[in-house]
Amino acid sequence: SSEVLEAIEKVIEDVLKSLAEKRAPVLTLANRSDWKNIEFKDSVGLQMIPSYTTKQIRSDCPRTAPKFALMLKILSMIYKMVQSNSYATKRDIYYSDTLLFGSQSVVDNIINDISCMLKIPRRSLHILSTTKGFVAGNLSYTEEDGTKVNCTCGATVCSLNIKDLNSHAKFVLIVEKDATFQRLLDDDFCIKASPCIMITGRGIPDLNTRLLVRKLWDTLQIPIFTLMDADPHGVEIMCIYKYGSVSMSFEAQHLTVPCIKWLGLLPSDIERLNIQKDALIPFTKQDQNKLASLQKRPYIACQPMWKKELEIMAASKMKAEIQVLTSLSSDYLSRVYLPNKLQFRGWI
C-alpha cells in the first residue's frame, strides 16, 4: 500500500512542481499498443521492451487535456481507496460519474495506463474486475474472507484472492465458449476423464480468468490445454492466454502461461474427421484480415505446427465452431474427440 501511495504522490508532486514553475503539467505514458515497444520471449510471451517509446498527455492541449483531468480524478480515487483499504470495481468507478467518464472503455483504458505508468499491477491499485469467467472440476480453495469453495459441485466464478488450493487434477482444459463449457459439464467430462479442471473466459478472457490460469500453473504444474473454435478469433484468444496481449504486455510476467498446448479444434481435424463442407462457415473479410495479422505475429514463427494449421485454415477459407462435432453425434466431443486427443497426445 505504501508503495502505491508513494508512486501516486510522486506523480502529483511533479504536477505541482510544473505549476510552480509556470509550466503546463504533463503525464508521460508508454505507447502500450505499439508493436515497436513489444518484444517476444519464448519463456514469457509478449513483453514491453525497457526502452519503450512514450506519449505525453498534456494539460494545455485541447486534445489531451480531458484525459489528463480524468487520469488525476482516477488517481485521486485510487489514493483514497488504498488509504482506507477499500475496493471498487471498474464499473463502480464508471458509475460514480457516467457523464464525466462518458463510457466504460474510457475508464478501463485509463486504469491500464495508470497501472503501466506507476509500474504497479492493477490488482494492487484496489480496483477489481467484474469476473465473467467460470471454473469447474477437481479443485477446492479458500477465498479471502474464509469461504471454502469446492468446484467439483459445479461452475464457480473465477476468484482472484484465493489460497489453500487443493487439486488432484491431471490437466487443465481452457474452453473458449460458455456453451461448450456447459455442455462438457452436463456430460460429466470432469469426472469421466481423468480428474481435470475446466475454465472458460467466455470469449476473450478478463484479467481474473487469466490470473487464475497462471495461478493454477504456478501451483499445480500440470499440463494446460485449450479447446477453441477453428477460426482466427479462437486462435487469437488462445494466444492471449499463452503469450499475452499487446495492451497488457507491461504485466506479461504475471499473466502469460507459455506452456499452454492447442488441443483442438485443429483445422487439420476437420479434414481428418471428414466433416461435411456444409457444416463449415465461409471466411468473412474480417476473418481473412485477422488470420493475416496472426500469421505475422512473432510467436507463430517459433510454432511450426501452429503455422501449418493456420496455413490449412488460410487455404480452405472456411472456419468451424466446436459445435460442428455434434454433426458426428450429440456427445462426440466428450465421448470420443477429447478422450482420443488426450490418450494419443493429439495436441500441438
Side-chain angles (χ1 to χ4, degrees):
S1 294
S2 59
E3 199 183 315
V4 179
L5 296 176
E6 280 170 27
I8 295 173
E9 284 163 8
K10 173 78 174 67
V11 171
I12 302 306
E13 277 170 18
D14 288 345
V15 168
L16 292 172
K17 193 177 171 190
S18 296
L19 290 170
E21 293 171 1
K22 305 256 186 310
R23 287 184 291 112
V26 167
L27 296 174
T28 304
L29 306 179
N31 276 324
R32 285 190 298 116
S33 56
D34 190 344
W35 276 92
K36 293 193 194 83
N37 283 336
I38 309 299
E39 64 179 353
F40 170 67
K41 271 195 178 168
D42 245 355
S43 56
V44 182
L46 300 174
Q47 62 176 14
M48 197 169 272
I49 58 172
S51 55
Y52 53 80
T53 60
T54 58
K55 58 184 176 184
Q56 291 194 324
I57 307 299
R58 299 189 61 85
S59 59
D60 61 346
C61 167
R63 192 171 50 81
T64 58
K67 182 166 182 175
F68 181 92
L70 291 179
M71 287 190 74
L72 289 192
K73 167 76 174 171
I74 293 178
L75 278 167
S76 150
M77 294 170 87
I78 293 168
Y79 194 86
K80 285 175 188 160
M81 287 191 295
V82 175
Q83 270 189 324
S84 61
N85 196 27
S86 57
Y87 290 80
T89 65
K90 293 187 293 181
R91 282 187 81 70
D92 292 336
I93 290 174
Y94 169 58
Y95 281 111
S96 70
D97 199 331
T98 54
L99 282 175
L100 177 69
F101 293 118
S103 75
Q104 182 69 60
S105 61
V106 167
V107 172
D108 297 354
N109 193 42
I110 286 175
I111 289 165
N112 285 342
D113 277 336
I114 287 172
S115 174
C116 185
M117 177 177 75
L118 300 180
K119 294 185 172 55
I120 288 170
R122 197 172 77 192
R123 57 199 173 282
S124 302
L125 301 177
H126 284 229
I127 295 172
L128 308 170
S129 297
T130 310
T131 301
K132 61 175 185 147
F134 286 114
V135 59
N138 192 289
L139 175 69
S140 59
Y141 56 82
T142 307
E143 289 190 338
E144 207 173 26
D145 63 0
T147 307
K148 293 195 184 313
V149 178
N150 186 350
C151 302
T152 316
C153 307
T156 310
V157 170
C158 289
S159 298
L160 182 55
N161 297 312
I162 59 175
K163 56 187 181 181
D164 305 329
L165 251 75
N166 188 27
S167 176
H168 301 293
K170 297 286 183 279
F171 63 91
V172 175
L173 181 66
I174 300 170
V175 182
E176 178 186 349
K177 285 179 176 164
D178 189 33
T180 309
F181 178 83
Q182 297 297 340
R183 180 63 208 248
L184 288 170
L185 278 183
D186 292 344
D187 289 349
D188 289 330
F189 178 74
C190 292
I191 299 160
K192 287 175 184 170
S194 53
C196 71
I197 298 166
M198 286 199 316
I199 290 179
T200 180
R202 298 162 78 196
I204 295 170
D206 59 8
L207 190 69
N208 287 2
T209 307
R210 290 175 64 190
L211 283 165
L212 180 60
V213 172
R214 176 60 193 245
K215 194 177 186 82
L216 291 174
W217 162 244
D218 287 339
T219 311
L220 305 175
Q221 297 281 303
I222 54 177
I224 300 181
F225 303 114
T226 59
L227 180 63
M228 304 279 151
D229 287 341
D231 68 8
H233 189 65
V235 175
E236 174 139 84
I237 288 170
M238 174 171 57
C239 291
I240 290 171
Y241 283 108
K242 186 174 173 75
Y243 294 125
S245 59
V246 175
S247 62
M248 294 294 285
S249 58
F250 63 95
E251 261 207 77
Q253 64 272 32
H254 306 299
L255 290 172
T256 59
V257 187
C259 68
I260 282 173
K261 303 290 183 198
W262 187 1
L263 187 68
L265 184 64
L266 302 179
S268 58
D269 290 337
I270 295 164
E271 197 177 330
R272 185 176 60 81
L273 297 171
N274 201 20
I275 289 169
Q276 297 303 305
K277 208 161 183 186
D278 59 6
L280 306 177
I281 306 162
F283 261 23
T284 62
K285 185 75 183 137
Q286 195 183 4
D287 291 326
Q288 286 179 334
N289 293 341
K290 174 70 73 185
L291 182 56
S293 158
L294 281 167
Q295 287 176 307
K296 290 179 195 152
R297 302 272 171 93
Y299 41 69
I300 296 298
C302 75
Q303 290 280 1
M305 300 288 279
W306 285 32
K307 197 176 174 189
K308 218 172 179 176
E309 294 293 333
L310 295 188
E311 283 165 3
I312 293 169
M313 205 189 287
S316 73
K317 290 191 170 56
M318 302 293 271
K319 56 186 183 180
E321 296 183 327
I322 299 160
Q323 289 91 320
V324 80
L325 296 175
T326 57
S327 67
L328 301 171
S329 78
S330 61
D331 59 352
Y332 190 85
L333 175 65
S334 59
R335 186 176 54 85
V336 182
Y337 182 80
L338 289 175
N340 282 351
K341 281 268 179 174
L342 292 162
Q343 187 182 345
F344 299 111
R345 302 176 65 86
W347 57 80
I348 57 173

